[in-house]
Amino acid sequence: MKNPWLRKAPDIYPVDFIQSASVEDRISELSNFDEAKLRAVIAYPGTQKTVRRKAECRLKTILKNDTVF
């Protein structure tokens, strides 16, 4: 399974990809994720329990807002 937290590193970094590891950083990133990315975060085994719960809540909110006319 591909790590959903990986993202391209800035050019000044000596590596190609970086990821946030702290719960606070990951929760703050959730607000920018779409439905597919949230589903990947929820399914990924390396996601912390608190982050997974927040991602589930965010996904429910997105799905609820998509069905409202």
Side-chain angles (χ1 to χ4, degrees):
M1 172 175 273
K2 184 179 174 189
N3 184 343
W5 297 107
L6 286 178
R7 63 184 179 280
K8 180 106 174 83
D11 292 334
I12 60 171
Y13 281 48
V15 294
D16 293 331
F17 295 95
I18 58 172
Q19 69 175 332
S20 53
S22 74
V23 172
E24 295 82 11
D25 290 342
R26 287 184 172 189
I27 288 174
S28 68
E29 287 181 33
L30 291 177
S31 62
N32 299 323
F33 289 175
D34 62 2
E35 180 183 343
K37 186 86 168 191
L38 288 170
R39 289 184 188 276
V41 164
I42 292 166
Y44 187 65
T47 300
Q48 295 98 330
K49 187 176 180 180
T50 304
V51 177
R52 183 174 286 113
R53 277 196 226 135
K54 292 285 187 179
E56 290 169 349
C57 289
R58 173 97 173 105
L59 181 60
K60 285 179 186 178
T61 301
I62 288 174
L63 294 176
K64 181 180 174 184
N65 289 339
D66 284 348
T67 59
V68 175
F69 295 23

